[in-house]
Amino acid sequence: MTTTEQPMERLTPAELSRFFLFEKLNDEQLRWMSEHGEVVRYPAGATVYSADEPATCFYMLVEGRQVMLKQVGDHEVEVSRTGRPGVYSGATWAWLTSAREVTKSPFYGGSMRTLEESVFFRIPGEELADVLKEWFPMAIHLLDGLFTGMRNSEAVVGQRERLTALGRLTAGLTHELNNPASAAVRATATLRERVAAMRGKLAHLASGKVDPDTLVKLAGLQEDAIEQSAKAKAGKNKHLTPMQENDLEDEFSDWCDEHGISSGWQLAPVWVGAGLDLEWLQGVADSIPQTHLEAGLKWITYALENEQLMAEIEDATERIATLINAAKQYSQMDRAEYQQVDIHEGLNSTLVMLGAKVREGLTLEKDYDKTLPRIPAYPAELNQVWTNLLDNAVHAMKCDNEAGPGTLSISTRADGDFALITIRDTGPGMTPDVQRRIFEPFYTTKPIGKGTGLGLDIVWRIVVNRHGGDIRVKSSPGAGAAFEVRLPLTAPAPAEVAEVSE
C-alpha cells in the first residue's frame, strides 16, 4: 500500500462540525473526535484498505473520490463510487456487540481505493466503539437489536424462500413424473392380462386341432401384423383423422360380423392402431380355415396389443428418464460448481421443472441464439435466477385475469462482451415506483403469504455480485415486463475451483 500519510495532522472541532456525520455533536464530543482522529492522505489509485485486512479503523472521506469493491471469485466487482465529503466506511460495525460476536474474522470484507488524490479522517474502531457506547447507549442498544433482528429475519425468511422454491419445483416435477409413471403402471397391468389371454389362445392352437401348416401361416401373419404396427408407429402409413378412424373401425366391425367373428368392436380399434386394412384382413381369411379364423385373429390381436402396450411403457419410461436428466441438469448434480455452461441448457431444464405451470393456458416463445459460446458461471445458481424470473412472469400473467392467456418469451443473444438473456411476459406490468424497488430485500407485490420479497434480491446477488453481470427491468403499466440479464462471456475461473477441476 503506497501512501504519503501524515499521522499527526488533525481536523479541528470546527472543521469536523461541517460534516453531516458530526454536525449534531456537542463541543466536548467534537473535541474528542479531533483529538483521537487523524488525517491521512492517499495518492490516486492507492488502496486504503483491502478485504483480507483486519478491520481496525473507521474512515470518512474529507476530499477526493473513492471506489468500493467486493471480491467475486478471483476478481473484484465495483459496488459504488463517490466523491461526497462525509461518506464513511471501514470498521463501521465496531460499536455493535452483536456484529462483533457474529463476525468471527473481523476483516473489512471489501476494498476501498482512491480514484484521485484523496484525504480521509481516520479513527481507530475500538476507541470509537467505546466512546459511542458512552455517549449514545440507547442508540447502540437499538442498533444492536436491529442488526440481530435483521440478521435472524433474513436467515429465516431466506431459508423459507429456498424451501418454498424447492416445494414449487418438487410439486412441478412430481406432477410431470406422475403422468408417465401412471401410464406405465396401467400399460403393465393391461399387458399382464393380454399375455395371460395369449397363453390361453396359444394352448388352444397347440392342442393338435390346428394343423401345422395353419400354425406356420398364423406365425407369419402375426409377424406381418407386428411389422405393419411398427410402420404405423413410425408414421410411415398415411395419417387418419379421428373421423376416418371411426369409419374404419365400423368397416372392421362389419367385416367381423360377415365372417362370424364375435367381439369385432373390441378387435377393430387394435387393428386401426396397428395400421391394418380390410385387404389385409381378407388375406388372413383366405390363408387359414374358417374354423380357426376367429381364434387366429384374436391371437394376432393379442400380439398387436402387447406391442402397443410395450410401446406405451417405452414412451413412458423414456419420458421419466428425460425428466430425471432435466432434474440433474437443473440441480447440477455430480458437476463442478464453477464451469463453462451453455445458457440454453439451464433455461430448458428450468422450463422442464416448471413445465406444468408454463403449459397452463400460456404460450411459450423461445428465440435462442445458438451461436452464443459457453460462458464461465455457477450453473446451479443461474438456474435459481431462471426459476425466480420465470415463476414471477408466470404468476404475473395468471393473476392478470383481464389480459387472458399470456405469452412467455425467452430470448438470448450476444451484447458486446456479454450474453443477454431476456425473459418477457404479457402481464399487467409495473409502475415506475415498483420498478425502483423491485430488487429490494423483502419488497414484494404478491399477496400476503404468496411471496417473501427475497426472490429478486437473490437474483440480483447471483447475477451482479456472484457473476459480475447486470440485470435490468423494462416495464410500464399494462405493457408487461421484460427482465434483461447480462452475463460476461469471458472471465477467469476462481483459483480454488480450478484446483479441484484439475
Side-chain angles (χ1 to χ4, degrees), residues 138-182:
M138 183 176 178
I140 297 302
H141 282 304
L142 290 174
L143 287 172
D144 256 327
L146 178 63
F147 176 86
T148 303
M150 288 186 64
R151 176 171 53 84
N152 293 340
S153 297
E154 187 170 354
V156 171
V157 176
Q159 184 181 29
R160 177 62 183 271
E161 178 75 16
R162 290 189 290 271
L163 289 174
T164 301
L166 180 61
R168 289 196 299 264
L169 291 172
T170 302
L173 182 60
T174 302
H175 178 81
E176 293 294 309
L177 287 171
N178 180 64
N179 292 333
S182 298

Side-chain angles (χ1 to χ4, degrees), residues 467-480:
H467 289 84
D470 180 48
I471 180 169
R472 305 172 189 174
V473 59
K474 295 182 179 179
S475 179
S476 58

Side-chain angles (χ1 to χ4, degrees), residues 169 176 319 323 326 330 344-359 364-366 368 383 386-387 390-391 394 408-410 423:
L169 291 172
E176 293 294 309
R319 175 62 178 160
L323 287 168
Y330 178 84
H344 307 118
E345 289 181 359
L347 288 167
N348 288 334
S349 66
T350 305
L351 286 171
V352 170
M353 301 296 287
L354 298 173
K357 283 188 173 185
V358 174
R359 287 195 301 270
L364 175 64
E365 296 180 351
K366 294 193 291 187
Y368 291 167
N383 287 341
W386 314 139
T387 299
L390 291 170
D391 188 66
V394 171
L408 177 64
S409 304
I410 308 174
I423 297 177

Side-chain angles (χ1 to χ4, degrees), residues 190-202 205 218-230 266-267 270-271 273-274 276 280 294-312:
T190 305
L191 179 61
R192 182 178 291 109
E193 296 175 1
R194 294 297 180 267
V195 170
M198 192 174 183
R199 289 198 300 267
K201 290 300 178 184
L202 180 60
L205 293 172
L218 282 173
L221 290 168
Q222 185 185 66
E223 291 300 321
D224 184 56
I226 292 174
E227 183 179 347
Q228 292 273 11
S229 177
Q266 290 180 320
L267 304 176
V270 181
W271 296 342
L276 305 182
W280 188 89
E294 181 171 353
L297 282 175
K298 286 186 177 180
W299 186 56
I300 293 172
T301 303
Y302 288 144
L304 290 173
E305 282 188 302
N306 291 345
E307 288 293 321
Q308 292 173 3
L309 290 169
M310 286 189 287
E312 289 181 22

Side-chain angles (χ1 to χ4, degrees), residues 126-137:
E126 292 294 340
E127 294 183 22
L128 181 62
D130 292 337
V131 74
L132 288 181
K133 288 178 183 179
E134 179 183 342
W135 291 349
F136 312 110

Side-chain angles (χ1 to χ4, degrees), residues 162-482:
R162 290 189 290 271
L163 289 174
T164 301
L166 180 61
R168 289 196 299 264
L169 291 172
T170 302
L173 182 60
T174 302
H175 178 81
E176 293 294 309
L177 287 171
N178 180 64
N179 292 333
S182 298
V185 170
R186 289 194 301 269
T188 302
T190 305
L191 179 61
R192 182 178 291 109
E193 296 175 1
R194 294 297 180 267
V195 170
M198 192 174 183
R199 289 198 300 267
K201 290 300 178 184
L202 180 60
H204 171 73
L205 293 172
S207 63
K209 298 176 181 180
V210 182
D211 61 276
D213 290 340
T214 301
L215 283 175
V216 172
K217 289 179 181 179
L218 282 173
L221 290 168
Q222 185 185 66
E223 291 300 321
D224 184 56
I226 292 174
E227 183 179 347
Q228 292 273 11
S229 177
K231 290 181 179 178
K233 182 183 177 183
K236 295 181 179 178
N237 291 355
K238 63 179 182 179
H239 177 71
L240 299 178
T241 64
M243 185 66 71
Q244 290 173 326
E245 289 182 356
N246 289 334
D247 291 342
L248 186 54
E249 287 180 14
D250 291 340
E251 292 178 10
F252 284 154
S253 296
D254 293 341
W255 185 89
C256 289
D257 292 339
E258 294 172 3
H259 289 76
I261 299 173
S262 62
S263 304
W265 60 275
Q266 290 180 320
L267 304 176
V270 181
W271 296 342
V272 172
L276 305 182
D277 51 30
L278 288 175
E279 182 180 354
W280 188 89
L281 287 177
Q282 190 58 49
V284 174
D286 294 340
S287 301
I288 60 178
Q290 177 64 31
T291 54
H292 302 307
L293 180 60
E294 181 171 353
L297 282 175
K298 286 186 177 180
W299 186 56
I300 293 172
T301 303
Y302 288 144
L304 290 173
E305 282 188 302
N306 291 345
E307 288 293 321
Q308 292 173 3
L309 290 169
M310 286 189 287
E312 289 181 22
I313 295 172
E314 182 183 13
D315 290 341
T317 51
E318 284 183 356
R319 175 62 178 160
I320 292 172
T322 299
L323 287 168
I324 291 174
N325 287 334
K328 289 179 66 177
Q329 165 65 30
Y330 178 84
S331 64
Q332 294 299 303
M333 186 183 300
D334 301 328
R335 299 191 181 190
E337 181 184 12
Y338 190 87
Q339 57 182 287
Q340 297 287 331
V341 300
D342 184 342
I343 289 295
H344 307 118
E345 289 181 359
L347 288 167
N348 288 334
S349 66
T350 305
L351 286 171
V352 170
M353 301 296 287
L354 298 173
K357 283 188 173 185
V358 174
R359 287 195 301 270
E360 292 176 358
L362 300 178
T363 300
L364 175 64
E365 296 180 351
K366 294 193 291 187
D367 181 18
Y368 291 167
D369 180 1
K370 294 296 187 179
T371 64
L372 272 179
R374 289 177 172 268
I375 67 170
Y378 299 90
E381 296 182 15
L382 285 186
N383 287 341
Q384 294 182 49
V385 172
W386 314 139
T387 299
N388 280 307
L389 294 181
L390 291 170
D391 188 66
N392 284 349
V394 171
H395 180 272
M397 289 185 285
K398 289 186 176 179
C399 289
D400 186 23
N401 298 324
E402 298 181 359
T407 299
L408 177 64
S409 304
I410 308 174
S411 65
T412 64
R413 65 180 177 85
D415 184 20
D417 295 330
F418 293 84
L420 172 62
I421 301 91
T422 304
I423 297 177
R424 187 185 308 274
D425 65 65
T426 56
M430 307 178 197
T431 64
D433 181 60
V434 171
Q435 289 183 60
R436 283 192 294 269
R437 303 187 60 192
I438 198 65
F439 295 108
E440 291 181 10
F442 305 107
Y443 178 77
T444 179
T445 59
K446 295 180 180 178
I448 296 175
K450 296 294 185 181
T452 61
L454 283 180
L456 290 177
D457 175 55
I458 292 172
V459 167
W460 174 271
R461 291 170 186 246
I462 292 174
V463 172
V464 178
N465 295 342
R466 189 71 162 158
H467 289 84
D470 180 48
I471 180 169
R472 305 172 189 174
V473 59
K474 295 182 179 179
S475 179
S476 58

